[in-house]
Amino acid sequence: MDVRSFWLAGRPATGDRELTVTNSHDGRVVGTYSVPTDAQVEEAVAAAAAVQKEAAALPVHVRAEALAHVAKRLAERHEEIAQLITGENGKPIFWARGEVNRAISTFRFAAEETRRWSGGVQRLDTEPAAAGRLAYVSRQPKGPVLAITPFNFPLNLVAHKVAPAIAVGAPVIVKPAPATPLSSLVLGEILAETDLPAGMFSVLPVENERASALVQDPRLPVVSFTGSGPVGYAIMDQVPRKHVTLELGGNAAAVVLADADLDWAASRVALFSNYQAGQSCIAVQRVIVEESVRAAFEEKLVEAVAGLVTGDPLDEKTQVGPLVSVAAAERVAAWVDEAVASGARVLAGGTRDGATVAPTVLTDVPADAKVSCEEVFGPVMIVKPVASVDEAFAEVNSSKYGLQAGVFTRSLDVAFKANRELEVGGVIIGDVPSYRADQMPYGGVKESGVGREGVHSAMEDLTYEKVMVLTGLSL
């Protein structure tokens, strides 16, 4: 099998070691990739620092056309890349194709935002002392970006870091997840087809333990991390003077109120607790349902979960595939067993076969069970009845996480109450918390992180405002 090169300052390179990626469903070898040496990592960082001023000064059309080219090439290679995502990640091909579509949109949005990205003017002669003065306000990149990306969306979550960086003229070094580096290496291949200057991007598939040196390197003043809370906050503690963006975990709640369309709610909760095998920080984990409709909703939910197709991720009909590894599945199954031993009842699932965990519904779960208060990151949900809207929202807010929440209701008043009261970064009315549009601001509060993704929001996050005052003008 061919060994994939990594991307060092815009060119393909190989190191002195190789690692292999296998599929968690059947153990087949998906690909082998070369690992950079320490000297090559140093070369990539030095190149990013050296090109910083040139990158910031790139004409808008160069950045926009590079981003548009990536969107075009992703579309042309759509099926190839989707198959690769399914291979390295294990997600069903249906969801992998959706991820490629989203990455195409992310780069297209970035190309469009780049062309709109412009400075503004502010008259200062609102006071006599500032007569004849005008402020030109622009945004300047904070500097080269270290992008540390997770395994669950190995293409689109890389896109959400790379595209905004290029859009604002910031060099970017990608450190992909060791389990799923192949998609980001293909992205590097496509970026190499553009007219971006050497040093503008590197994709370095180094082991996690080598990331600390990159995090601490002063030539990389911005760190954008998506992953677990303990790792994210450890990064922030290591570099308190750097600009750090953290997109961390969640314990996403779907609130089902008495006025909801129960059929719609059950079908959406069932699917989006289990999509990506639950390996999404906004997958439904907690289902908070008003007591008056609990029995009817639970019946519909269990039926909807039973109707999900679990199996080979390459099968067109499969909706729920394996987790990223057997070890991940073993952990999820252990958490379910722990909850059951503490008194939880299994309404559906609760079993494991290799890396696959059956879509699982639990109720009567103790509040201190891991499946209740931590992020499961697997196809497991708990159902908790409440007496009122106020109790439902209090239950949502009881979590240490605050990424997104979904509220199934027909009431506009309740919708705005949810927006006021829920301690989350996003409130989805009439649907699951798993909904994300790639152009909207996305991020959390509490232990779900700091900063926002979404192309425009990320572009602002990677830049600072700079003011030039013009004097002696006839305004």
Side-chain angles (χ1 to χ4, degrees):
M1 180 174 288
D2 292 338
V3 177
R4 290 183 182 267
S5 304
F6 55 87
W7 294 90
L8 197 170
R11 71 179 193 277
T14 55
D16 57 2
R17 291 185 299 115
E18 298 169 2
L19 292 175
T20 298
V21 177
T22 58
N23 180 266
S24 63
H25 175 70
D26 55 19
R28 65 186 170 87
V29 174
V30 180
T32 300
Y33 63 96
S34 185
V35 180
T37 65
D38 289 342
Q40 288 169 320
V41 171
E42 164 59 28
E43 184 179 348
V45 175
V51 81
Q52 178 177 349
K53 290 184 179 180
E54 180 184 354
L58 278 176
V60 166
H61 72 88
V62 174
R63 288 178 266 153
E65 287 165 11
L67 293 163
H69 174 83
V70 175
K72 175 176 176 288
R73 291 290 285 138
L74 288 174
E76 291 172 351
R77 299 177 64 175
H78 186 288
E79 184 62 19
E80 169 202 347
I81 297 171
Q83 294 280 339
L84 185 61
I85 291 172
T86 293
E88 67 174 342
N89 174 277
K91 72 175 61 179
I93 189 66
F94 169 81
W95 297 113
R97 289 175 181 142
E99 180 173 351
V100 179
N101 285 335
R102 289 182 60 188
I104 293 167
S105 295
T106 299
F107 276 97
R108 177 169 55 83
F109 294 149
E112 294 165 354
E113 285 291 341
T114 302
R115 294 190 187 279
R116 287 192 290 263
W117 192 249
S118 187
V121 295
Q122 181 179 3
R123 289 185 63 147
L124 302 179
D125 60 343
T126 53
E127 300 293 332
R133 294 182 186 267
L134 183 79
Y136 171 71
V137 184
S138 61
R139 298 197 71 94
Q140 302 295 318
K142 293 173 179 174
V145 178
L146 171 61
I148 304 177
T149 60
F151 71 81
N152 56 331
F153 288 86
L155 178 65
N156 195 41
L157 290 186
V158 177
H160 268 286
K161 299 183 186 302
V162 171
I166 292 172
V168 302
V172 58
I173 292 177
V174 177
K175 195 226 83 74
T180 57
L182 304 181
S183 301
S184 59
L185 294 176
V186 171
L187 182 58
E189 179 183 335
I190 293 172
L191 284 165
E193 299 169 354
T194 70
D195 293 328
L196 294 171
M200 188 75 176
F201 74 92
S202 292
V203 182
L204 305 178
V206 298
E207 302 90 337
N208 287 338
E209 55 269 24
R210 296 173 65 193
S212 181
L214 285 167
V215 167
Q216 296 181 54
D217 196 303
R219 294 167 294 180
L220 302 173
V222 179
V223 180
S224 179
F225 172 84
T226 299
S228 72
V231 176
Y233 286 117
I235 288 173
M236 183 173 280
D237 291 342
Q238 284 182 59
V239 286
R241 289 182 175 83
K242 285 194 177 189
H243 180 77
V244 178
T245 298
L246 303 178
E247 201 280 276
L248 305 177
N251 186 341
V255 176
V256 181
L257 299 177
D259 67 336
D261 179 335
L262 298 185
D263 290 316
W264 166 254
S267 66
R268 297 293 284 177
V269 168
L271 183 60
F272 284 94
S273 176
N274 297 292
Y275 87 124
Q276 318 288 143
Q279 296 170 125
S280 167
C281 45
I282 45 177
V284 179
Q285 182 172 331
R286 294 178 295 152
V287 188
I288 301 164
V289 57
E290 274 199 281
E291 183 66 64
S292 61
V293 294
R294 175 190 182 178
F297 176 75
E298 278 187 356
E299 181 179 355
K300 294 175 184 295
L301 178 62
V302 171
E303 181 181 355
V305 168
L308 296 174
V309 179
T310 302
D312 184 348
L314 285 173
D315 189 321
E316 301 282 343
K317 297 178 181 179
T318 297
Q319 296 167 292
V320 185
L323 279 79
V324 71
S325 67
V326 172
E330 289 174 341
R331 177 193 57 79
V332 171
W335 285 21
V336 171
D337 291 343
E338 174 198 72
V340 172
S342 300
R345 290 190 296 118
V346 179
L347 301 181
T351 61
R352 179 183 69 85
D353 180 10
T356 299
V357 174
T360 299
V361 183
L362 303 174
T363 192
D364 300 336
V365 179
D368 60 353
K370 291 187 182 73
V371 295
S372 178
C373 60
E374 300 294 341
E375 182 180 37
V376 174
F377 226 60
V380 178
M381 72 179 101
I382 67 170
V383 179
K384 180 177 180 60
V386 292
S388 65
V389 173
D390 286 339
E391 188 179 339
F393 290 178
E395 185 64 30
V396 174
N397 291 340
S398 69
S399 174
K400 65 184 177 181
Y401 299 105
L403 195 46
Q404 293 198 157
V407 181
F408 289 88
T409 181
R410 292 185 172 95
S411 169
L412 194 58
D413 286 342
V414 172
F416 277 92
K417 176 183 173 69
N419 190 58
R420 286 193 309 273
E421 297 183 4
L422 294 181
E423 298 166 357
V424 293
V427 178
I428 314 300
I429 302 298
D431 207 351
V432 289
S434 320
Y435 177 79
R436 178 183 179 183
D438 291 290
Q439 70 270 39
M440 78 183 194
Y442 175 78
V445 297
K446 299 196 284 189
E447 291 191 23
S448 287
V450 293
R452 290 294 179 268
E453 289 189 343
V455 175
H456 183 84
S457 298
M459 289 169 69
E460 289 191 334
D461 193 63
L462 296 177
T463 55
Y464 64 91
E465 283 189 319
K466 188 173 186 177
V467 180
M468 177 178 69
V469 176
L470 300 175
T471 305
L473 302 178
S474 297
L475 299 173

